[in-house]
Amino acid sequence: MPRKRREAAICDANVLIDFVAADEDIIRELVKYWGTVYVPTRILHEVRKLPMGRAEDLGLTVIETPLTLPSAPGLSGPDRACLHFVVSEG
Amino acid sequence: MGIQDIGDNVRRHMKIRGLTIPQLSMKMGMGTASLSNLLNGKAEPKSSTLIKLADALAVPFDELLADTPKLESLRFRTAKTLNGREKAERDQLRHDSAIWLSDYSFLEKELKASPSYLLAHISSKEPRTAAMAVRDVFKLKREAPIYDISELMEQAGIKLRIRPFGFKKTFGLSIGNEDGGPGIVVNSEDGIPVERQVFTIAHELGHLVLHKASYKNPDESENETEEHEADLFAGTLLVPDEALEKEWTEGKGLHFVDRVLKVKKIFKVSYKTILIRLVQMGKAPSLTELIIKFSQDYKMMYHHDLKGHYEPESLSADESNPVAEEDPQELDVSDLMEERFSRLVRDAYEKKIVSISRAGEMLNLSIDDMRTLVQAWQEL
């Protein structure tokens, strides 16, 4: 029976940084397993060693982040992008 | 955040980097018309476009989004005319200072660590008296040099920031209580000696103590009387009359140049500060003549001129000559570091008040550099 395709998102730059530091192919395998793996632009931008083009080559689906994000002084811009994504997409 | 803020922020960074619209559009691979629309607030950009812009300008993404902050009590005075790039650097400095103060106040509030301003009660308008009153608050002996002025400022409840301004036409600025201050921002532009930065802190402190009303005046031109008073305050704070008298007399067998160098080393100040103090104490009639004499004699003795902010026997970090034990204690550039803000950031991170990414934003570090710093914090 074919495996049902699922979706996932990476909303923490630290996760991507660790994947890239260990082996980029982890990301490719992750995409293969999940089907679609989203990453918001703001989070991807924090990962200096993974430019947008390379992220797309590895199969990640880069999604735009709204410019106006909820205000939270303890959170950075990428954190607030993550919060927005989690709240809006569930 | 408004679209116009983005345009203003981008324009400011373009001026700082000397980039035109065609140059920037080529750098980021975007059409000039689209870039113009963005700059004029006619189109709201996508986050991916702003990322390209931030990368092309080499600034953090949020820098382009930040509202244009207003500081109501910033005291920024210069006697010199700024060119277009320098004006953009000045605006950036105001922008950064407002964000820094806002972050600082947030950390103090969340950590319940808001200090009292210990110098608020000093009401004397006479620079020498006020400077000695400040020394009394810090319990400094009459003849004692100030070893760590940054530490004293932070103890007194003054927020201190040391950063390059991008130009050398002004050495520092200060901010009154209204905007989360008092605060002092010192120019550490390459080539400005540590001694000059120390003097700037003392000078701005002089304004905070003596010229409280000036913080409500947006005028940017220098008031000569106020500047003179702040200089006298700074000189007296760093090199009190009695202490200078004692050291100057002890060195009377030395050549004038060596006598100045000896005293400057004791008090950790610039040679110019000593020359100014000698004039202020009536030991020489004219500062201009004294500076000329010192420069000529120094060049003759040490074969080096004093142009371009050169500081003889500077207290720089790369000081390679070891100091003999009997020498007056040397100050290092590490003695002029603002420490409290980064300490508060660490506390806030460890108490989960701010995320690692936010801590990096506050310290102006990338997430990679912040991860390295957190690792170092965890090791020690």
Side-chain angles (χ1 to χ4, degrees), chain B residues 85-139:
Chain B
R85 184 194 65 79
E86 290 165 340
K87 280 181 185 162
E89 292 273 17
R90 176 205 57 196
D91 293 345
Q92 183 62 30
L93 180 62
R94 286 178 170 155
H95 184 95
D96 285 355
S97 299
I99 290 170
W100 164 71
L101 275 173
S102 161
D103 286 346
Y104 214 137
S105 299
F106 164 74
L107 291 171
E108 285 183 339
K109 187 173 163 237
E110 291 298 314
L111 291 164
K112 297 181 177 55
S114 301
S116 309
Y117 175 41
L118 300 182
L119 311 177
H121 67 282
I122 298 173
S123 57
S124 173
K125 297 285 171 219
E126 201 290 303
R128 282 192 171 96
T129 311
M132 294 314 284
V134 169
R135 285 183 68 93
D136 286 345
V137 170
F138 294 134
K139 297 185 170 57

Side-chain angles (χ1 to χ4, degrees), chain B residues 264-327:
Chain B
K264 110 177 181 83
K265 277 184 149 186
I266 290 171
F267 292 103
K268 330 290 180 197
V269 294
S270 68
Y271 76 93
K272 270 192 187 158
T273 301
I274 298 301
L275 299 183
I276 290 167
R277 293 293 290 129
L278 291 173
V279 175
Q280 286 169 348
M281 288 178 63
K283 295 194 179 295
S286 156
L287 180 61
T288 311
E289 282 173 25
L290 200 59
I291 289 174
I292 292 169
K293 179 174 165 51
F294 184 85
S295 302
Q296 287 172 342
D297 288 3
Y298 184 84
K299 191 172 182 183
M300 196 178 66
M301 289 171 73
Y302 293 101
H303 311 292
H304 197 300
D305 67 37
L306 297 170
K307 287 175 189 160
H309 302 289
Y310 177 74
E311 181 63 38
E313 304 192 35
S314 173
L315 310 172
S316 63
D318 55 1
E319 178 73 65
S320 52
N321 298 328
V323 181
E325 270 181 29
E326 62 275 25
D327 279 0

Side-chain angles (χ1 to χ4, degrees), chain A residues 14 18 41-42 64 73 76 79, chain B residues 47-48 62 355 357-358 371:
Chain A
N14 290 292
D18 288 339
T41 47
R42 293 294 308 275
E64 292 289 340
S76 68
D79 292 333
Chain B
S47 62
S48 51
D62 283 291
S355 67
S357 175
R358 180 76 176 108
R371 280 161 57 108

Side-chain angles (χ1 to χ4, degrees), chain A residues 13-15 17-18 41-42 45-48 52 63-65 67-68 72-80, chain B residues 1 6 44-48 50-51 54-55 61-62 65 106 353-358 361-362 367-368 371:
Chain A
N14 290 292
V15 172
I17 290 170
D18 288 339
T41 47
R42 293 294 308 275
H45 187 229
E46 281 199 294
V47 189
R48 287 293 170 184
M52 197 182 289
I63 52 170
E64 292 289 340
T65 316
L67 297 184
T68 310
L75 298 179
S76 68
D79 292 333
R80 288 182 290 125
Chain B
M1 188 272 305
I6 297 175
E44 182 167 326
K46 291 193 292 186
S47 62
S48 51
L50 272 195
I51 284 171
D55 287 347
F61 181 92
D62 283 291
L65 283 179
F106 164 74
I353 293 168
V354 298
S355 67
I356 186 170
S357 175
R358 180 76 176 108
E361 255 180 22
M362 289 176 165
I367 187 88
D368 284 313
R371 280 161 57 108

Side-chain angles (χ1 to χ4, degrees), chain B residues 100-106 108 113-115 117 150 153-154 156-161 173-175 177 179-185 208 338 340-341 344:
Chain B
W100 164 71
L101 275 173
S102 161
D103 286 346
Y104 214 137
S105 299
F106 164 74
E108 285 183 339
S114 301
Y117 175 41
S150 50
M153 293 305 102
E154 293 181 342
I158 296 169
K159 297 176 174 75
L160 178 66
R161 191 169 195 222
L173 60 87
S174 43
I175 302 141
N177 296 339
D179 296 302
I184 293 175
V185 186
L208 284 170
E338 71 277 39
R340 186 163 176 265
F341 182 69
L344 291 177

